[in-house]
Amino acid sequence: ALAAREKKKEEEEEMNYFPDEVIEHVFDFVTSHKDRNAISLVCKSWFKIERYSRQRVFIGNCYAVNPVRLLRRFPCLKSLTLKGKPHFADFNLVPHEWGGFVQPWIEALARSRVGLEELRLKRMVVTDESLELLSRSFSSFKSLVLVSCEGFTTDGLASIAANCRHLRDLDLQENEIDDHRGQWLSCFPDTCTTLVTLNFACLEGETNLVALERLVARSPNLKSLKLNRAVPLDALARLMACAPQIVDLGVGSYENDPDSESYLKLEAAIKKCTSLRSLSGFLEAAPHCLSAFHPICHNLTSLNLSYAAEINGSHLIKLIQHCKKLQRLWILDSIGDKGLVVVASTCKELQELRVFPSDLLGVGNTAVTEEGLVAISAGCPKLHSILYFCQQMTNAALITVAKNCPNFVRFRLCILEPNKPDHLTSQPLDEGFGAIVQACKNLRRLSLSGLLTDQIFLYIGMFATELEMLSIAFAGDTDKGMLYVLNGCKKMRKLEIRDSPFGDTALLADVNKYETMRSLWMSSCEVTLGGCKRLAQKAPWLNVEIIDENDNNRMEQNGHEESQKVDKLYLYRTVVGTRTDAPPFVSIL
Amino acid sequence: MAKEGLGLEITELRLGLPGDNNGERLVCGSKKTKRVFSDMMTSSSLDTDGENSVVVSSVDIVAGEVADESSPVAKSQVVGWPPVCCYRRNKKNNKEASKAIGYVKVSMDGVPYLRKVDLGSSQGYNHLATVLENLFGCLGLGVALKEGEKFEYVIIYEDKDGDWMLVGDVPWQMFKESCKRLRIVKRSDATGFGLQRNSSFE
């Protein structure tokens, strides 16, 4: 036995042909989280070297782990990314008080005196208190990125502005921020000259334009500036004149038609912005102003007009015709199929397209159909990501799209009317989506819609070998559907299902599968409380959450709870057990 | 939760015309139950977050729309569908709300408190004048609108650009859309300006 141990130790030492410092240096070139996780599993000494050298940590579910364990393993961390609520929270399926609080993380990081420089949060609850603590605790703090977060006000932003002396990025994307219409912009001290990114497009209130202009003027490194509604056209012209080096611009509002002098000033300022590559905003836009941007369109690689509801199709098309280098386009369906044909013939470099619905309720005349999608697939050979809201679809169109574009990595199709079949044949869309998963061997993310039977899930299980995230709504017939997916998709990480007839049989078939996944969401399906309880018993390393807003205590009172359907189920693997911050309407089994 | 036709036939809500394939589609299929929209309607009505779930439980509203082909009614009734994130939805709703013409403040020189008038339901300059007269108990405001030179007061409004403009110069609809607030000021405070009314829009 001693000889065996000695041999093992020798073998381990042999893994290290080089001193630790050399290995560490090699590891510096390994940057992706997946790769770093992989090398840390090779052997004990690599695990040790890797954890001390890891600077950027990504935590996809903030309840899978806790701050103590994070800091224990990665004491030298500089950048932390945290995600809180499940994806369906974006569609109001998760109550606001569900959880995802960043406060305990910031408290723990502050206590540990780790040299935090960057914090990126998505779907988390952030308070002014958290922001204040953050701003005071890390002297090297440089970068704050908040995406789809809530719970804070402009007072919290004021703390960040005032206290983070080396702030480089303040990037607020699609957050719900209570705008106290205060003077947070004036809280940046005159000595603050390091800003590279300033994005406050999601703020609703007025902006201190004077403070903003001064800030932009003293930020020579500013590359990304995204303004909110309250910044009018003439102020925009002045800002652009102060920052001709800008690469990424978010325009606020064009409330009224500018007088010719303002327009000329804007035109002149725009022409000087030769580094401009990305344009967004136009939250309220007078269409004629778009033409001021035509001179720089040939340089644009990214264009987001998805909030510009006032700009009609023809003005959009006029702009896009100049954008030959476009790689990313986010637009409203008011562009119409005809507009998409123009995109297809103009934007040969297009990689990512998102077409959002302009009318959430009715049937708009200018909405897009399968024709637009086919045109894009035929014209844009580099397309790999698509999000497409449309009125109707056919199997034939999807089969054509699959032939034209076998390179899809992300394919999200949303036919606005649930359960809608192929509008020509009245058949389910199994064959169409099936063609997509069969042709696109690199498909990692898929969202389904329209009328679908168990057949599509058979196809997904068979062909979608790289699939990591699948969103299902109003689809399938029996538990077999869900089983095909769970058994077939070896790389599945996030599965989210709503309003589909999958129940306990599918849920319980392979409990160990959930250890290989980040999370599973099932709402308005057929799973029962009894089934969930059995799952929780079999898998103590899972948090099985039942979210029931309607009656907090219903589960205890009702004698027939075993067969009671569960409204919302959210389960996820975790190494730290049941969370302690769950609200009363969440039961963790 | 039986699903065969129950949800579709007995409720006035439909996904399409009677006998339409769409309607039957949900009926046929496997033995397992499938949630139908009527079920979702019932459960949605318990949803207290009314902001983004447009729950239509009243048959009256639906009745008028049943005639539509592939009814769009269904789309608006399911929580979280279509899957547009709430930030985007709110931005859209806010835009629409702010576009809706509603109440604007009215102040009058010498009066310590302000009033509000509903421009949205007001029918024209004359009607507005009557409303203002009633609010401020000040007869003759109608006269002020018509024959500016003779009356003690002048009615002005603040437009979207923040400029103060004389009421009555532009067509009523244009005025309605650009008026942010109203003021009734004493003529004597606005001397020196030609206040000849533009009478083309009477």
Side-chain angles (χ1 to χ4, degrees), chain A residues 295-539:
Chain A
I296 49 93
C297 280
H298 63 276
N299 283 332
L300 288 182
T301 55
S302 170
L303 182 60
N304 180 357
L305 293 171
S306 62
Y307 289 102
E310 277 94 2
I311 305 180
N312 69 23
S314 59
H315 286 106
L316 291 176
I317 292 171
K318 275 203 204 110
L319 184 77
I320 288 171
Q321 275 168 334
H322 297 267
C323 301
K324 298 204 188 326
K325 288 205 191 135
L326 218 54
Q327 293 171 15
R328 194 168 87 136
L329 176 62
W330 289 24
I331 200 133
L332 287 170
D333 63 3
S334 46
I335 194 174
D337 284 334
K338 291 210 175 73
L340 290 176
V341 169
V342 173
V343 173
S345 61
T346 311
C347 308
K348 295 303 182 187
E349 303 296 312
L350 197 67
Q351 297 175 21
E352 177 186 329
L353 174 67
R354 295 195 191 191
V355 180
F356 292 94
S358 47
D359 184 355
L360 295 176
L361 296 179
V363 181
N365 290 328
T366 50
V368 297
T369 70
E370 73 274 17
E371 290 179 20
L373 183 61
V374 170
I376 291 288
S377 72
C380 306
K382 299 192 181 175
L383 193 66
H384 59 60
S385 289
I386 190 155
L387 170 61
Y388 196 79
F389 286 82
C390 61
Q391 298 290 337
Q392 61 192 37
M393 189 50 57
T394 64
N395 283 310
L398 285 173
I399 291 168
T400 306
V401 168
K403 271 205 207 101
N404 290 340
C405 270
N407 298 321
F408 276 119
V409 172
R410 282 168 222 100
F411 189 86
R412 294 156 71 190
L413 181 65
C414 178
I415 302 161
L416 289 167
E417 192 185 313
N419 283 318
K420 190 163 181 176
D422 178 320
H423 76 92
L424 290 177
T425 66
S426 296
Q427 292 301 301
L429 290 169
D430 301 329
E431 297 307 310
F433 276 104
I436 296 284
V437 296
Q438 193 173 2
C440 302
K441 310 226 185 295
N442 295 322
L443 195 67
R444 292 206 306 260
R445 183 169 179 181
L446 177 64
S447 298
L448 304 168
S449 59
L451 182 67
L452 295 164
T453 71
D454 285 347
Q455 186 72 9
I456 180 55
F457 300 111
L458 174 64
Y459 291 146
I460 290 173
M462 275 170 63
F463 297 115
T465 51
E466 300 301 307
L467 196 63
E468 296 176 5
M469 182 169 178
L470 179 60
S471 308
I472 301 170
F474 309 104
D477 301 315
T478 72
D479 278 2
K480 277 202 214 133
M482 186 168 162
L483 284 168
Y484 291 140
V485 171
L486 289 175
N487 293 334
C489 300
K490 300 296 176 205
K491 299 216 179 157
M492 185 61 64
R493 289 191 300 117
K494 289 181 277 183
L495 183 56
E496 45 185 29
I497 307 172
R498 63 166 293 179
D499 294 280
S500 301
F502 305 134
D504 296 338
T505 310
L507 182 70
L508 292 163
D510 179 7
V511 164
N512 291 323
K513 173 72 178 172
Y514 305 124
E515 196 178 3
T516 65
M517 288 168 53
R518 184 189 294 175
S519 64
L520 169 67
W521 169 280
M522 292 180 76
S523 58
S524 305
C525 296
E526 302 293 318
V527 292
T528 67
L529 185 55
C532 294
K533 281 185 176 172
R534 283 199 296 285
L535 174 61
Q537 264 177 334
K538 287 190 186 181

